[in-house]
Amino acid sequence: MNLNRNTLLLYGGLTGFAIFYLSIVGMVEAFNERDIIKDLYQFGDVELLTLGQILILVPVVVGGYVIGRKVFSESGTTGALLSGFLMGAIAAVPIVILVFLGSTFPNIRNMFVSINPSLMEVLSLGFSGREAHMTGALILAVIIAFAGFDGALISILPDLWRRSVINAFAWTLGVGTMSELLDQIFGTFRGYDWIDKDTVRLMLQSGSLKPGFAGIIFVVAFLWPIVMPYIRKPLKERYESSSSGAQTTVNYVWYAFLIILLLALPWLVGRFLSDVLVTISLYVLMGLGLNIAVGMAGLLDLGYLTNFAVGAYVTGILVSTGPQGIAANGGPEFFNLWWLIPIALLSAMLTGFLFALPVLRMRGDYLAIATLGFGEIIAKLAISDALKPYIGGAQGILFVPKPVFFGISLDDPENLYYVGLAACLFMLYVTTRLQNSRVGRQWGAIREDEDVAGAMGIDTTRTKVIAFTLSAAAGGLAGALFATKVGTVFPNSFTVIVSVNVLSLIIVGGMGSIPGIVVGAAALVGLPEILREFSEFRFLIYGALLVTMMLTKPEGLWPSEARRRELRGDDDNEPSGETTAVPAD
């Protein structure tokens, strides 16, 4: 039991410190502004659950889950549940201390500006006054303790039920967090017979879920893992037993459905989300390009913003109607973007080729540092006075026109979305063909062991140059589209964080996985764009997400089969059925 006591103190202390830290940096207060579940009563809207409260409770539930799995094999069900409850009680102690300090010593705000009356109100469940603050904090402490109990309870459930519970909570909280966007999407269909304001009011209340609709989402998400195997298995068996022609027809139907959905998406989600989709498409494009170097060839490139910046500046110079444009300096007028895409693409490929030559002998960390240096060189040159007469320096390039397609100006996000989609599909086709080609297999051999690949007769120098050059093409194309989307090209758009974002979405999505790149871009680029009110905490969340991913799912959210086998082996899948959880010590 001594081990359990130490484990309790460790996990309880870490969880409590995490909540304490999130509170004093202002995250709890800021996240509390977004409601997840709300209802309308006679005296006004009542917040039943907020994102700030979830930020307090989720770490405790996770801690209770982990400690429950650790204690279960030793002490059984009772010991696991009791450990979860006690861990939650320990985690609540820093919160009670924080409320006591904030209520007793108002001047503490001079040191920690986030410890203010608004935070005290959140941590005391809306109670006001010093004594009432402590009463509310003690009630919250009891809730936190039971959250630890709930986490331990989830950990000892049979596998199938555990997955169902986690799935239900994840979907309910996820949809509730995005309910404002759901309201915007429904707004595009108001006026039609099948959805109107009364229908929306049954589901949403002031940009948050109503309790009844939240309950429906919870039940459906809970039943999904239970019911789907009984539906998926017969369909899979019927598909596998059918003729090849029938299978081809089914595949074509799915592809057609996906294409129709992609084409209709901007008109379904509205202007704001369409603009987010355009941004995601740019990062998907860069991710597909960088995946050639990193995922296929194993060449760690931290200077990808170089290609992105070259594509953007080349496009800006050639099409701008401002003083930096080539037309304003006596050159020809390139007002058609479609003429310029090959030029921007070839310019980025040339840059990638030239920058590859000095680093061909480098590997691993040394290659990463060298490419990072190239990115910094480009960033400094873009803002320098030496190139100011040509690319505008700190003032950048202005007046970049929108692309025109058959006389239609693609100045709206809904229209520009199709340009990004076409570019992503083109790059997807190229990447897929390269992955299954002779040079793609050579990249794979270099990624696994460059010395062995060279001993087998592969020209590693030539192969790596091809990887860097083709990888740069997608960055140049993304830069050209970015310049036309924004209408300006400023140096502060090309910082090292661009390279970090592109590399991170490949790692989070799944190294070497094309679907993983799309998932990674949606998670690391799309979500921060949607949740812009929390932008000041973006990098804190970003770092925490990367650390969590590396610890819990290093192969990525949607890994390639080869990558999954490398990190998980062949015994990755949990057994299905009604088995009891066994902790991994």
Side-chain angles (χ1 to χ4, degrees), residues 387-422:
L387 296 180
K388 184 176 181 179
Y390 309 103
I391 61 175
Q395 285 72 37
I397 301 175
L398 307 176
F399 308 111
V400 178
K402 300 294 183 182
V404 178
F405 186 71
F406 286 107
I408 302 174
S409 178
L410 305 181
D411 51 356
D412 294 330
E414 293 91 341
N415 294 327
L416 199 57
Y417 160 83
Y418 294 109
V419 181
L421 177 62

mmCIF file of all heavy atoms in Angstrom, residues 387-422:
data_model
loop_
_atom_site.group_PDB
_atom_site.id
_atom_site.type_symbol
_atom_site.label_atom_id
_atom_site.label_comp_id
_atom_site.label_asym_id
_atom_site.label_seq_id
_atom_site.Cartn_x
_atom_site.Cartn_y
_atom_site.Cartn_z
ATOM 1 N N LEU A 387 17.326 44.185 -49.848
ATOM 2 C CA LEU A 387 16.351 43.744 -50.847
ATOM 3 C C LEU A 387 15.080 44.600 -50.845
ATOM 4 O O LEU A 387 14.121 44.264 -51.540
ATOM 5 C CB LEU A 387 15.982 42.277 -50.613
ATOM 6 C CG LEU A 387 17.105 41.270 -50.772
ATOM 7 C CD1 LEU A 387 16.596 39.855 -50.512
ATOM 8 C CD2 LEU A 387 17.745 41.364 -52.139
ATOM 9 N N LYS A 388 15.071 45.643 -50.054
ATOM 10 C CA LYS A 388 13.874 46.485 -49.962
ATOM 11 C C LYS A 388 13.436 47.063 -51.310
ATOM 12 O O LYS A 388 12.238 47.101 -51.610
ATOM 13 C CB LYS A 388 14.110 47.608 -48.950
ATOM 14 C CG LYS A 388 12.882 48.467 -48.711
ATOM 15 C CD LYS A 388 13.141 49.510 -47.629
ATOM 16 C CE LYS A 388 11.898 50.357 -47.384
ATOM 17 N NZ LYS A 388 12.122 51.368 -46.322
ATOM 18 N N PRO A 389 14.357 47.513 -52.181
ATOM 19 C CA PRO A 389 13.888 48.050 -53.468
ATOM 20 C C PRO A 389 13.179 47.012 -54.336
ATOM 21 O O PRO A 389 12.421 47.376 -55.231
ATOM 22 C CB PRO A 389 15.184 48.533 -54.131
ATOM 23 C CG PRO A 389 16.151 48.736 -53.014
ATOM 24 C CD PRO A 389 15.812 47.694 -52.016
ATOM 25 N N TYR A 390 13.425 45.733 -54.072
ATOM 26 C CA TYR A 390 12.873 44.696 -54.935
ATOM 27 C C TYR A 390 11.644 44.010 -54.319
ATOM 28 O O TYR A 390 10.684 43.704 -55.039
ATOM 29 C CB TYR A 390 13.947 43.635 -55.224
ATOM 30 C CG TYR A 390 15.238 44.234 -55.718
ATOM 31 C CD1 TYR A 390 16.333 44.361 -54.874
ATOM 32 C CD2 TYR A 390 15.351 44.697 -57.026
ATOM 33 C CE1 TYR A 390 17.523 44.922 -55.318
ATOM 34 C CE2 TYR A 390 16.535 45.264 -57.487
ATOM 35 C CZ TYR A 390 17.614 45.361 -56.616
ATOM 36 O OH TYR A 390 18.787 45.932 -57.061
ATOM 37 N N ILE A 391 11.688 43.765 -53.005
ATOM 38 C CA ILE A 391 10.575 43.038 -52.377
ATOM 39 C C ILE A 391 9.917 43.832 -51.253
ATOM 40 O O ILE A 391 9.091 43.279 -50.520
ATOM 41 C CB ILE A 391 11.037 41.664 -51.862
ATOM 42 C CG1 ILE A 391 12.142 41.821 -50.810
ATOM 43 C CG2 ILE A 391 11.517 40.793 -53.005
ATOM 44 C CD1 ILE A 391 12.564 40.499 -50.180
ATOM 45 N N GLY A 392 10.262 45.089 -51.083
ATOM 46 C CA GLY A 392 9.537 45.949 -50.161
ATOM 47 C C GLY A 392 10.037 45.987 -48.748
ATOM 48 O O GLY A 392 9.565 46.803 -47.955
ATOM 49 N N GLY A 393 10.959 45.103 -48.350
ATOM 50 C CA GLY A 393 11.460 45.109 -46.980
ATOM 51 C C GLY A 393 10.356 44.863 -45.967
ATOM 52 O O GLY A 393 9.493 44.002 -46.146
ATOM 53 N N ALA A 394 10.390 45.636 -44.882
ATOM 54 C CA ALA A 394 9.378 45.467 -43.838
ATOM 55 C C ALA A 394 7.978 45.837 -44.305
ATOM 56 O O ALA A 394 6.979 45.359 -43.753
ATOM 57 C CB ALA A 394 9.748 46.304 -42.616
ATOM 58 N N GLN A 395 7.853 46.711 -45.321
ATOM 59 C CA GLN A 395 6.545 47.120 -45.831
ATOM 60 C C GLN A 395 5.928 46.056 -46.740
ATOM 61 O O GLN A 395 4.737 46.087 -47.017
ATOM 62 C CB GLN A 395 6.653 48.434 -46.610
ATOM 63 C CG GLN A 395 6.825 49.655 -45.733
ATOM 64 C CD GLN A 395 8.196 49.742 -45.107
ATOM 65 O OE1 GLN A 395 9.194 49.379 -45.739
ATOM 66 N NE2 GLN A 395 8.276 50.215 -43.863
ATOM 67 N N GLY A 396 6.735 45.116 -47.230
ATOM 68 C CA GLY A 396 6.221 44.018 -48.015
ATOM 69 C C GLY A 396 5.734 44.430 -49.399
ATOM 70 O O GLY A 396 6.014 45.531 -49.889
ATOM 71 N N ILE A 397 4.989 43.536 -50.013
ATOM 72 C CA ILE A 397 4.426 43.749 -51.348
ATOM 73 C C ILE A 397 2.914 43.865 -51.217
ATOM 74 O O ILE A 397 2.268 42.981 -50.650
ATOM 75 C CB ILE A 397 4.793 42.589 -52.292
ATOM 76 C CG1 ILE A 397 6.310 42.463 -52.413
ATOM 77 C CG2 ILE A 397 4.167 42.789 -53.666
ATOM 78 C CD1 ILE A 397 6.757 41.272 -53.234
ATOM 79 N N LEU A 398 2.374 44.940 -51.741
ATOM 80 C CA LEU A 398 0.939 45.195 -51.626
ATOM 81 C C LEU A 398 0.251 44.987 -52.976
ATOM 82 O O LEU A 398 0.906 44.802 -54.002
ATOM 83 C CB LEU A 398 0.704 46.617 -51.115
ATOM 84 C CG LEU A 398 1.415 47.021 -49.821
ATOM 85 C CD1 LEU A 398 1.142 48.483 -49.512
ATOM 86 C CD2 LEU A 398 0.961 46.141 -48.669
ATOM 87 N N PHE A 399 -1.068 45.040 -52.930
ATOM 88 C CA PHE A 399 -1.902 45.038 -54.141
ATOM 89 C C PHE A 399 -1.681 43.793 -55.010
ATOM 90 O O PHE A 399 -1.437 43.876 -56.213
ATOM 91 C CB PHE A 399 -1.658 46.298 -54.971
ATOM 92 C CG PHE A 399 -1.777 47.571 -54.187
ATOM 93 C CD1 PHE A 399 -0.662 48.356 -53.927
ATOM 94 C CD2 PHE A 399 -3.006 47.973 -53.685
ATOM 95 C CE1 PHE A 399 -0.766 49.521 -53.191
ATOM 96 C CE2 PHE A 399 -3.112 49.140 -52.953
ATOM 97 C CZ PHE A 399 -2.005 49.917 -52.707
ATOM 98 N N VAL A 400 -1.739 42.630 -54.371
ATOM 99 C CA VAL A 400 -1.694 41.376 -55.117
ATOM 100 C C VAL A 400 -3.131 41.021 -55.497
ATOM 101 O O VAL A 400 -3.965 40.800 -54.615
ATOM 102 C CB VAL A 400 -1.069 40.244 -54.288
ATOM 103 C CG1 VAL A 400 -1.079 38.933 -55.068
ATOM 104 C CG2 VAL A 400 0.356 40.616 -53.876
ATOM 105 N N PRO A 401 -3.462 40.967 -56.776
ATOM 106 C CA PRO A 401 -4.859 40.741 -57.176
ATOM 107 C C PRO A 401 -5.308 39.307 -56.937
ATOM 108 O O PRO A 401 -4.488 38.391 -56.831
ATOM 109 C CB PRO A 401 -4.849 41.071 -58.672
ATOM 110 C CG PRO A 401 -3.448 40.808 -59.103
ATOM 111 C CD PRO A 401 -2.576 41.152 -57.930
ATOM 112 N N LYS A 402 -6.623 39.135 -56.862
ATOM 113 C CA LYS A 402 -7.203 37.818 -56.720
ATOM 114 C C LYS A 402 -7.180 37.081 -58.061
ATOM 115 O O LYS A 402 -7.222 37.702 -59.118
ATOM 116 C CB LYS A 402 -8.649 37.913 -56.211
ATOM 117 C CG LYS A 402 -8.789 38.589 -54.861
ATOM 118 C CD LYS A 402 -8.141 37.777 -53.761
ATOM 119 C CE LYS A 402 -8.347 38.441 -52.396
ATOM 120 N NZ LYS A 402 -7.683 37.702 -51.308
ATOM 121 N N PRO A 403 -7.119 35.753 -58.026
ATOM 122 C CA PRO A 403 -7.120 35.007 -59.291
ATOM 123 C C PRO A 403 -8.469 35.106 -59.991
ATOM 124 O O PRO A 403 -9.506 35.287 -59.350
ATOM 125 C CB PRO A 403 -6.817 33.565 -58.854
ATOM 126 C CG PRO A 403 -7.237 33.499 -57.430
ATOM 127 C CD PRO A 403 -6.988 34.868 -56.860
ATOM 128 N N VAL A 404 -8.444 34.998 -61.302
ATOM 129 C CA VAL A 404 -9.647 35.071 -62.127
ATOM 130 C C VAL A 404 -9.749 33.773 -62.925
ATOM 131 O O VAL A 404 -8.759 33.329 -63.533
ATOM 132 C CB VAL A 404 -9.614 36.280 -63.073
ATOM 133 C CG1 VAL A 404 -10.851 36.308 -63.958
ATOM 134 C CG2 VAL A 404 -9.505 37.574 -62.264
ATOM 135 N N PHE A 405 -10.932 33.171 -62.896
ATOM 136 C CA PHE A 405 -11.160 31.915 -63.598
ATOM 137 C C PHE A 405 -12.346 32.078 -64.537
ATOM 138 O O PHE A 405 -13.484 32.218 -64.092
ATOM 139 C CB PHE A 405 -11.408 30.786 -62.598
ATOM 140 C CG PHE A 405 -11.524 29.424 -63.213
ATOM 141 C CD1 PHE A 405 -10.411 28.793 -63.736
ATOM 142 C CD2 PHE A 405 -12.749 28.776 -63.263
ATOM 143 C CE1 PHE A 405 -10.513 27.531 -64.298
ATOM 144 C CE2 PHE A 405 -12.857 27.527 -63.829
ATOM 145 C CZ PHE A 405 -11.735 26.903 -64.354
ATOM 146 N N PHE A 406 -12.072 32.101 -65.857
ATOM 147 C CA PHE A 406 -13.112 32.291 -66.875
ATOM 148 C C PHE A 406 -13.957 33.531 -66.580
ATOM 149 O O PHE A 406 -15.186 33.489 -66.615
ATOM 150 C CB PHE A 406 -14.004 31.055 -66.975
ATOM 151 C CG PHE A 406 -13.337 29.905 -67.651
ATOM 152 C CD1 PHE A 406 -12.909 28.801 -66.919
ATOM 153 C CD2 PHE A 406 -13.107 29.914 -69.021
ATOM 154 C CE1 PHE A 406 -12.293 27.739 -67.539
ATOM 155 C CE2 PHE A 406 -12.486 28.844 -69.654
ATOM 156 C CZ PHE A 406 -12.070 27.751 -68.915
ATOM 157 N N GLY A 407 -13.264 34.612 -66.231
ATOM 158 C CA GLY A 407 -13.945 35.868 -65.981
ATOM 159 C C GLY A 407 -14.530 36.018 -64.597
ATOM 160 O O GLY A 407 -15.067 37.073 -64.267
ATOM 161 N N ILE A 408 -14.433 34.983 -63.750
ATOM 162 C CA ILE A 408 -14.973 35.028 -62.385
ATOM 163 C C ILE A 408 -13.828 35.300 -61.422
ATOM 164 O O ILE A 408 -12.851 34.542 -61.362
ATOM 165 C CB ILE A 408 -15.673 33.707 -62.016
ATOM 166 C CG1 ILE A 408 -16.807 33.412 -62.998
ATOM 167 C CG2 ILE A 408 -16.208 33.769 -60.588
ATOM 168 C CD1 ILE A 408 -17.447 32.051 -62.768
ATOM 169 N N SER A 409 -13.927 36.405 -60.672
ATOM 170 C CA SER A 409 -12.908 36.746 -59.693
ATOM 171 C C SER A 409 -13.084 35.878 -58.447
ATOM 172 O O SER A 409 -14.153 35.897 -57.822
ATOM 173 C CB SER A 409 -12.988 38.230 -59.324
ATOM 174 O OG SER A 409 -12.025 38.554 -58.351
ATOM 175 N N LEU A 410 -12.064 35.138 -58.097
ATOM 176 C CA LEU A 410 -12.136 34.241 -56.936
ATOM 177 C C LEU A 410 -11.720 35.000 -55.683
ATOM 178 O O LEU A 410 -10.727 34.680 -55.024
ATOM 179 C CB LEU A 410 -11.237 33.028 -57.170
ATOM 180 C CG LEU A 410 -11.498 32.237 -58.449
ATOM 181 C CD1 LEU A 410 -10.549 31.057 -58.549
ATOM 182 C CD2 LEU A 410 -12.935 31.764 -58.516
ATOM 183 N N ASP A 411 -12.484 36.027 -55.348
ATOM 184 C CA ASP A 411 -12.140 36.859 -54.204
ATOM 185 C C ASP A 411 -12.856 36.445 -52.930
ATOM 186 O O ASP A 411 -12.516 36.922 -51.852
ATOM 187 C CB ASP A 411 -12.436 38.333 -54.507
ATOM 188 C CG ASP A 411 -13.856 38.533 -55.030
ATOM 189 O OD1 ASP A 411 -14.567 37.528 -55.218
ATOM 190 O OD2 ASP A 411 -14.246 39.693 -55.260
ATOM 191 N N ASP A 412 -13.862 35.578 -53.023
ATOM 192 C CA ASP A 412 -14.564 35.095 -51.844
ATOM 193 C C ASP A 412 -13.917 33.806 -51.349
ATOM 194 O O ASP A 412 -13.417 33.003 -52.146
ATOM 195 C CB ASP A 412 -16.037 34.827 -52.157
ATOM 196 C CG ASP A 412 -16.787 36.116 -52.486
ATOM 197 O OD1 ASP A 412 -16.385 37.160 -51.954
ATOM 198 O OD2 ASP A 412 -17.752 36.062 -53.271
ATOM 199 N N PRO A 413 -13.940 33.566 -50.032
ATOM 200 C CA PRO A 413 -13.374 32.305 -49.522
ATOM 201 C C PRO A 413 -14.032 31.076 -50.131
ATOM 202 O O PRO A 413 -13.375 30.058 -50.351
ATOM 203 C CB PRO A 413 -13.635 32.397 -48.008
ATOM 204 C CG PRO A 413 -13.770 33.845 -47.721
ATOM 205 C CD PRO A 413 -14.382 34.452 -48.936
ATOM 206 N N GLU A 414 -15.353 31.172 -50.401
ATOM 207 C CA GLU A 414 -16.037 30.018 -50.986
ATOM 208 C C GLU A 414 -15.466 29.666 -52.353
ATOM 209 O O GLU A 414 -15.383 28.483 -52.721
ATOM 210 C CB GLU A 414 -17.536 30.294 -51.117
ATOM 211 C CG GLU A 414 -18.264 30.429 -49.794
ATOM 212 C CD GLU A 414 -18.307 31.860 -49.295
ATOM 213 O OE1 GLU A 414 -17.486 32.667 -49.769
ATOM 214 O OE2 GLU A 414 -19.142 32.171 -48.444
ATOM 215 N N ASN A 415 -15.083 30.688 -53.136
ATOM 216 C CA ASN A 415 -14.511 30.432 -54.456
ATOM 217 C C ASN A 415 -13.032 30.063 -54.379
ATOM 218 O O ASN A 415 -12.563 29.172 -55.099
ATOM 219 C CB ASN A 415 -14.685 31.665 -55.345
ATOM 220 C CG ASN A 415 -16.141 31.957 -55.652
ATOM 221 O OD1 ASN A 415 -16.953 31.046 -55.764
ATOM 222 N ND2 ASN A 415 -16.488 33.235 -55.786
ATOM 223 N N LEU A 416 -12.299 30.746 -53.497
ATOM 224 C CA LEU A 416 -10.872 30.466 -53.364
ATOM 225 C C LEU A 416 -10.628 29.064 -52.808
ATOM 226 O O LEU A 416 -9.568 28.469 -53.042
ATOM 227 C CB LEU A 416 -10.223 31.515 -52.460
ATOM 228 C CG LEU A 416 -8.709 31.681 -52.548
ATOM 229 C CD1 LEU A 416 -8.280 32.008 -53.968
ATOM 230 C CD2 LEU A 416 -8.231 32.752 -51.584
ATOM 231 N N TYR A 417 -11.603 28.533 -52.100
ATOM 232 C CA TYR A 417 -11.499 27.175 -51.564
ATOM 233 C C TYR A 417 -11.230 26.161 -52.672
ATOM 234 O O TYR A 417 -10.447 25.217 -52.499
ATOM 235 C CB TYR A 417 -12.787 26.834 -50.812
ATOM 236 C CG TYR A 417 -13.031 25.357 -50.611
ATOM 237 C CD1 TYR A 417 -12.433 24.670 -49.565
ATOM 238 C CD2 TYR A 417 -13.868 24.646 -51.469
ATOM 239 C CE1 TYR A 417 -12.663 23.315 -49.385
ATOM 240 C CE2 TYR A 417 -14.108 23.307 -51.293
ATOM 241 C CZ TYR A 417 -13.497 22.635 -50.251
ATOM 242 O OH TYR A 417 -13.727 21.294 -50.075
ATOM 243 N N TYR A 418 -11.868 26.353 -53.819
ATOM 244 C CA TYR A 418 -11.717 25.384 -54.901
ATOM 245 C C TYR A 418 -10.314 25.415 -55.492
ATOM 246 O O TYR A 418 -9.820 24.391 -55.973
ATOM 247 C CB TYR A 418 -12.758 25.657 -55.990
ATOM 248 C CG TYR A 418 -14.168 25.423 -55.519
ATOM 249 C CD1 TYR A 418 -15.041 26.485 -55.317
ATOM 250 C CD2 TYR A 418 -14.618 24.142 -55.261
ATOM 251 C CE1 TYR A 418 -16.331 26.275 -54.866
ATOM 252 C CE2 TYR A 418 -15.910 23.911 -54.812
ATOM 253 C CZ TYR A 418 -16.764 24.991 -54.619
ATOM 254 O OH TYR A 418 -18.032 24.772 -54.177
ATOM 255 N N VAL A 419 -9.669 26.578 -55.457
ATOM 256 C CA VAL A 419 -8.286 26.650 -55.929
ATOM 257 C C VAL A 419 -7.384 25.826 -55.000
ATOM 258 O O VAL A 419 -6.542 25.036 -55.452
ATOM 259 C CB VAL A 419 -7.812 28.111 -55.991
ATOM 260 C CG1 VAL A 419 -6.377 28.186 -56.495
ATOM 261 C CG2 VAL A 419 -8.720 28.941 -56.875
ATOM 262 N N GLY A 420 -7.559 26.013 -53.697
ATOM 263 C CA GLY A 420 -6.784 25.229 -52.742
ATOM 264 C C GLY A 420 -7.077 23.751 -52.846
ATOM 265 O O GLY A 420 -6.174 22.906 -52.746
ATOM 266 N N LEU A 421 -8.359 23.396 -53.044
ATOM 267 C CA LEU A 421 -8.733 21.992 -53.175
ATOM 268 C C LEU A 421 -8.086 21.369 -54.408
ATOM 269 O O LEU A 421 -7.554 20.252 -54.354
ATOM 270 C CB LEU A 421 -10.259 21.871 -53.256
ATOM 271 C CG LEU A 421 -10.819 20.454 -53.471
ATOM 272 C CD1 LEU A 421 -10.445 19.549 -52.304
ATOM 273 C CD2 LEU A 421 -12.335 20.506 -53.657
ATOM 274 N N ALA A 422 -8.128 22.091 -55.545
ATOM 275 C CA ALA A 422 -7.522 21.569 -56.772
ATOM 276 C C ALA A 422 -6.019 21.376 -56.593
ATOM 277 O O ALA A 422 -5.448 20.364 -57.042
ATOM 278 C CB ALA A 422 -7.807 22.522 -57.931
#
